[in-house]
Structure formats: structure tokens, C-alpha cells
């Protein structure tokens, strides 16, 4: 394993790249070509390749998951594959991850044009957006009962089947380094899928080359998430001492049926004390919903965004982006370009499925045991947290991770991006934790430059920069 071998691999890869450049479409298989996106309506010219379509994960039920692959801008054959999952449960990776967070494009207000995201994560890797489970976004099932009986287990199993069958279609990714990433309820999806891959690899002739996972503002442990959320509300002066003390002393925080006192004071906090704010970023203006458009729920446990609020545009942040996604992805020409909705799904495309969210029937109380298993397997694990999110706040994540009792390798320090403090980080044995200063629930939406730095550091396996 000397340096000579490394030089040969690099040279060979460069030769392959040159061959691909000269051969063009001949490089891709017929199955890949069928999924190629020539151009999306309103899209600027790009230098990278895109593919999208369906992979059937259960023939008997007619379940098929939709994906959108945006290959790396530079040297895609030398870059890893990162699978991105959004949470909810029931929310679309196309609506959020691809369209307002880490994808290459941003939507305009009328849903008529796309413009480039200069901090897109496909600057560093090939990004595969997966809409899971069936019923999310363009993913579908022919068995209606599936929409009323789903949960963590089926999501993980179907997502694994998707990866196995997708790699049969895109064979050039079979040996590639794979990373899983996501946010919010993907704090369940990502480690659970990693566990499924680990079990599959133990028996597989051709194992999936999973190297690590990264989750942001992640639902992790029911008790500590709930305790951490109430603590965040109080520590940020969002609720009164009286309400906080009552919640602490009357709530179990285990996700089970709470006492009447707990329920009453929780409702009082939401209705009377928090006010009409965007709970996904407590310092950002909420979206004006006076036109009657629906602002969808993104978390299993917490309420809808507040309605009927006027807002001013601050720091380039637009709180209404999901509304633009619902305009754009319901266009027939957009669906045709994406090879989406080919079976004519009997409902409109939505950013989140309320049906799935309401009927989520199995949810692990804690994924901390899964983390322990994955740490033992030697996977790279990063957990990050935007520190102005009150839905899955930084206190919840810190309370949860503390239960792992991991030895500290590199003590707490500020990390930097563009000569400014991007957040704070601590490196443990088997896991890196980082905050992103001033970021809400969707970290790349609020702090795109810092999020890209975080992503690059994760892929390199190096601690975040101290200066």
C-alpha cells in the first residue's frame, strides 16, 4: 500500500475522465440514459450531469422511490456519493434539500425560473436526493394502506432496497465511497439506514462501501429531545419561569400520554407565550400566509408555522421558499423533465405529506443505541446543530449526545469560515459535534457558506478549521 499504488490509482482515474470527456454519452448505460435530465424548465446552463427517476423497492405493493442525482461539478468519478434525506416524517428531499438547502438550484417566487446556488454541495461530492418513504413527494405506492401504516422500519428497509437496485442501474457507483446525510427526522432515517446497510454488508457478496453519516438538528432521543426543547424555550426567554417549572415537574417527556397539567401548560406556551414566530429560526421573519396557502408541518412533534404574519426580507432569507417549490414541481413540463409522476399519482405534489405524518406508526424512542453500534463499526459520524432552531434545538442534541458518554479527543473550540466564527465544535472518540452560529433548522438554507465548509470538513475527516 505504498505511495506508488496511490499514484497509479490517481493516474488511472484521470485517464478515465479524459476518456469519458471524449466519448460523451457512450459512457452511460441505456438505463442511465433513460434517467438523464437534459435540462429543467427555467434552468441555467450547467457543466454537471443530472439524472432522476424511479426505483421499484417492492413489486407486490407497487412501491417506488423517486431520486434526483446531481453529479459533482468537477471530477465526478473521483468524488464520493452522498445520499441526502429530509425528515418530517413525510417531507420531500426535493422540496427542501434539493431546492432550498444543498442542491445546485434555487427557485424564484413564481416557480418559473431557477438560479444557481454558489454553495451547492455538488461542488464537493455527487449528491443523491432520495424521497422516502413511499408517499413522500413523487415517491408512490399502489397499495393505499401503505400510506396509513408506515414508519421507521419500512423506511429503512425500502431505502436499503433502493440503494441496492439503484447501484445496479448506476454501476459506476458500486465501489464508490458512500456517505449518508440528512436533517430533522432524518436523525432517525440516516442512522437506521446505516444500520440496515451494515447488516446487509455482513452477508453481501458486493457490500455497499459506506464510510460515514452526518445529521443536522436531528431527532435523536425522545426524552432528551423534549426536555432539551423546553429548556431551549426557557433559556431563550420564549416562555415564563412559571410555565417552564410546571412543564419540568409535570411532563414525562417520553412521548407517552402526558398529564392534563403538562398538556395544558404546553398548549399555553405555544398559544400564549411563544408568539407568532418562525419556530424553525426564532430570529427570522415567518412567511406571510395570509393568502391562504398551506405552510406544511416539518416535525412530528411540534406545531405548524404561525400564520398571518407580515414579514420583511432580512439578510437574503426568504421564509416562503417551500411555497415556490409547490408551484414549480406541480408543473407538467417540470415533471416531464424529471421523469416524475409517470403513473399519474392521484394527488398534488406537496412538500410534506400530512397523511404520512399523521399515520406514522413506528418510531424508535432513541437512536442512541444505533449510534453506539455504528461507532463500534468505525463509521465517521458527525452531528451538527443550527443554534437558533427551537424545533429540534441545540440543547436537545447536546442532552442526547451526552448520554453516549464518549471520551473527548479535541475539547470545545470555535471554528471559522470566511474569518468569522462559524460555530463551535467538540471532537469525541467516534463522533464529531458542531454548532452552526445563527442557523435555523435547515442549516444550509440560513448559513450556506458555513454549511459547505462543514460538509467539506466532514468528507475530509478533518476537524473544522480553527482560523
Amino acid at each position: 500500500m505504498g505511495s506508488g499504488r496511490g499514484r497509479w490509482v490517481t493516474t488511472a482515474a484521470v485517464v478515465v475522465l479524459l476518456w469519458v470527456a471524449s466519448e460523451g454519452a457512450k459512457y452511460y448505460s441505456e438505463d442511465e440514459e433513460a434517467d438523464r435530465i437534459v435540462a429543467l424548465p427555467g434552468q441555467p446552463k450547467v457543466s454537471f450531469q443530472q439524472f432522476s427517476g424511479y426505483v421499484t423497492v417492492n413489486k407486490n405493493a407497487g412501491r417506488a422511490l423517486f431520486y434526483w442525482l446531481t453529479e459533482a461539478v468537477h471530477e465526478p468519478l473521483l468524488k464520493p456519493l452522498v445520499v441526502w434525506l429530509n425528515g418530517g416524517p413525510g417531507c420531500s428531499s426535493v422540496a427542501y434539500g434539493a431546492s432550498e438547502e444543498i442542491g445546485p438550484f434555487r427557485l424564484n417566487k413564481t416557480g418559473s425560473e431557477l438560479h444557481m446556488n454558489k454553495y451547492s454541495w455538488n461542488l464537493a461530492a455527487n449528491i443523491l436526493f432520495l424521497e422516502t418513504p413511499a408517499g413522500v413527494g413523487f415517491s408512490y405506492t399502489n397499495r393505499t394502506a401503505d400510506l396509513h401504516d408506515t414508519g421507521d422500519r419500512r423506511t429503512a428497509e425500502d431505502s436499503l432496497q433502493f440503494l441496492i437496485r439503484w447501484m445496479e442501474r448506476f454501476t459506476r457507483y458500486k465501489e464508490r465511497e458512500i456517505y449518508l446525510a440528512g436533517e430533522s427526522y432524518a436523525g432517525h432515517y440516516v442512522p437506521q439506514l446505516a444500520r440496515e446497510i451494515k447488516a446487509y454488508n455482513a452477508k453481501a457478496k458486493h457490500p455497499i462501501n459506506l464510510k460515514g453519516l452526518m445529521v443536522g438538528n436531528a431527532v435523536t432521543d425522545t426524552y432528551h429531545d423534549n426536555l432539551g426543547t423546553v429548556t431551549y424555550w426557557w433559556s431563550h426567554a420564549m416562555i415564563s419561569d412559571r410555565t417552564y417549572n410546571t412543564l419540568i415537574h409535570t411532563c414525562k417527556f417520553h412521548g407517552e400520554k402526558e398529564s392534563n397539567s403538562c398538556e395544558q401548560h404546553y398548549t399555553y406556551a405555544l398559544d400564549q407565550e411563544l408568539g407568532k414566530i418562525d419556530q424553525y429560526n426564532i430570529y427570522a421573519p415567518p412567511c406571510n400566509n395570509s393568502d391562504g396557502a398551506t405552510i406544511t408541518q416539518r416535525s412530528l412533534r411540534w406545531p405548524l408555522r404561525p400564520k398571518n404574519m407580515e414579514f420583511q426580507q432580512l439578510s437574503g432569507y426568504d421564509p416562503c421558499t417551500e411555497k415556490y417549490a409547490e408551484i414549480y414541481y406541480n408543473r407538467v413540463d417540470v415533471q416531464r423533465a424529471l421523469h416524475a409522476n409517470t403513473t399519474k399519482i392521484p394527488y398534488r405534489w406537496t412538500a410534506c405529506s400530512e397523511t404520512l405524518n399523521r399515520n406514522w406508526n413506528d418510531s424508535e424512542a432513541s437512536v442512541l443505541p444505533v449510534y453506539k453500534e455504528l461507532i463500534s463499526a468505525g463509521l465517521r459520524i458527525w452531528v451538527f446543530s443550527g443554534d437558533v432552531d427551537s424545533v429540534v434545538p441545540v440543547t436537545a442534541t447536546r442532552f442526547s449526545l451526552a448520554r453516549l458518554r464518549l471520551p473527548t479527543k479535541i475539547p470545545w473550540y470555535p471554528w471559522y469560515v470566511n474569518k468569522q466564527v462559524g460555530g463551535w465544535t467538540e471532537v469525541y472518540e467516534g463522533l464529531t459535534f458542531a454548532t452552526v452560529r445563527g442557523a435555523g433548522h435547515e442549516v444550509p438554507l440560513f448559513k450556506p457558506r458555513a454549511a459547505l465548509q462543514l460538509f467539506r470538513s466532514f468528507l475530509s475527516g478533518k476537524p473544522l478549521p480553527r482560523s
Side-chain angles (χ1 to χ4, degrees), residues 119-423:
Y119 300 110
S120 174
W121 284 14
N122 76 331
L123 291 168
N126 302 285
I127 310 295
L128 177 61
F129 299 98
L130 173 59
E131 296 199 305
T132 189
V136 171
F138 290 121
S139 296
Y140 66 87
T141 175
N142 292 333
R143 189 165 61 190
T144 306
D146 287 346
L147 303 178
H148 299 275
D149 180 24
T150 191
D152 288 10
R153 179 185 52 78
R154 182 184 294 158
T155 301
E157 292 172 353
D158 281 0
S159 297
L160 172 64
Q161 289 304 311
F162 169 87
L163 272 180
I164 294 168
R165 297 174 187 186
W166 186 86
M167 287 182 183
E168 291 296 330
R169 187 178 305 177
F170 288 80
T171 55
R172 56 202 158 90
Y173 282 98
K174 273 193 171 183
E175 307 299 325
R176 201 77 58 94
E177 288 190 351
I178 307 293
Y179 296 90
L180 308 178
E183 70 185 20
S184 192
Y185 200 79
H188 279 215
Y189 295 165
V190 168
Q192 289 167 345
L193 175 54
R195 178 177 59 188
E196 289 290 316
I197 292 173
K198 181 174 174 288
Y200 168 80
N201 284 350
K203 304 174 184 178
K205 185 176 181 181
H206 301 289
I208 295 169
N209 189 19
L210 179 65
K211 292 297 185 182
L213 55 139
M214 179 170 69
V215 291
N217 291 81
V219 177
T220 305
D221 177 272
T222 301
Y223 175 80
H224 293 98
D225 285 352
N226 289 333
L227 176 62
T229 298
V230 169
T231 302
Y232 186 91
W233 290 352
W234 177 79
S235 66
H236 286 71
M238 297 166 68
I239 60 174
S240 65
D241 291 354
R242 176 178 174 274
T243 297
Y244 171 71
N245 288 325
T246 302
L247 290 172
I248 289 296
H249 289 102
T250 64
C251 296
K252 301 174 185 175
F253 298 122
H254 285 293
E256 303 163 355
K257 183 173 176 58
E258 296 284 2
S259 67
N260 288 336
S261 177
C262 173
E263 293 283 358
Q264 289 170 3
H265 283 83
Y266 179 75
T267 301
Y268 182 82
L270 294 175
D271 293 346
Q272 304 298 323
E273 294 189 340
L274 266 64
K276 296 178 180 179
I277 63 169
D278 184 344
Q279 294 181 41
Y280 296 91
N281 182 331
I282 64 173
Y283 301 126
C287 181
N288 177 8
N289 200 36
S290 59
D291 61 358
T294 300
I295 297 299
T296 47
Q297 182 173 358
R298 302 189 202 176
S299 169
L300 180 65
R301 303 166 304 138
W302 307 120
L304 300 179
R305 285 187 171 199
K307 298 181 178 181
N308 302 318
M309 284 292 290
E310 295 296 330
F311 71 91
Q312 296 177 340
Q313 210 65 0
L314 298 178
S315 304
Y317 164 59
D318 185 343
C320 300
T321 49
E322 66 196 62
K323 292 167 65 174
Y324 314 150
E326 297 212 0
I327 296 171
Y328 188 74
Y329 294 112
N330 275 297
R331 288 173 50 178
V332 174
D333 57 343
V334 171
Q335 294 179 0
R336 187 182 305 116
L338 284 169
H339 321 114
N341 199 17
T342 53
T343 59
K344 303 304 176 186
I345 301 168
Y347 46 81
R348 279 175 57 81
W349 183 94
T350 57
C352 294
S353 167
E354 292 185 13
T355 300
L356 284 177
N357 192 281
R358 287 195 305 267
N359 293 284
W360 201 258
N361 292 329
D362 81 88
S363 179
E364 289 192 71
S366 177
V367 294
L368 293 177
V370 186
Y371 276 123
K372 291 179 180 178
E373 182 180 340
L374 300 177
I375 290 170
S376 297
L379 294 178
R380 184 182 308 157
I381 302 173
W382 282 39
V383 178
F384 62 93
S385 186
D387 62 11
V388 296
D389 172 29
S390 72
V391 176
V392 189
V394 62
T395 44
T397 300
R398 295 182 76 179
F399 284 175
S400 294
L401 294 182
R403 301 302 300 170
L404 292 172
R405 296 184 174 88
L406 300 173
T408 299
K409 285 178 62 178
I410 304 176
W412 193 269
Y413 69 90
W415 63 274
Y416 285 79
V417 59
N418 199 31
K419 301 182 180 179
Q420 298 289 325
V421 173

Side-chain angles (χ1 to χ4, degrees), residues 37-50 68 70 103-108 112-118 120 122 328:
I37 298 173
V38 177
L40 295 170
Q43 174 200 302
K45 186 176 180 181
V46 297
S47 60
F48 56 87
Q49 304 297 322
Q50 302 180 80
W68 180 1
T70 58
F105 306 119
R106 292 287 179 268
L107 296 163
N108 70 355
S112 59
E113 290 185 359
L114 305 175
H115 58 274
M116 299 303 295
N117 169 23
K118 64 180 180 179
S120 174
N122 76 331
Y328 188 74

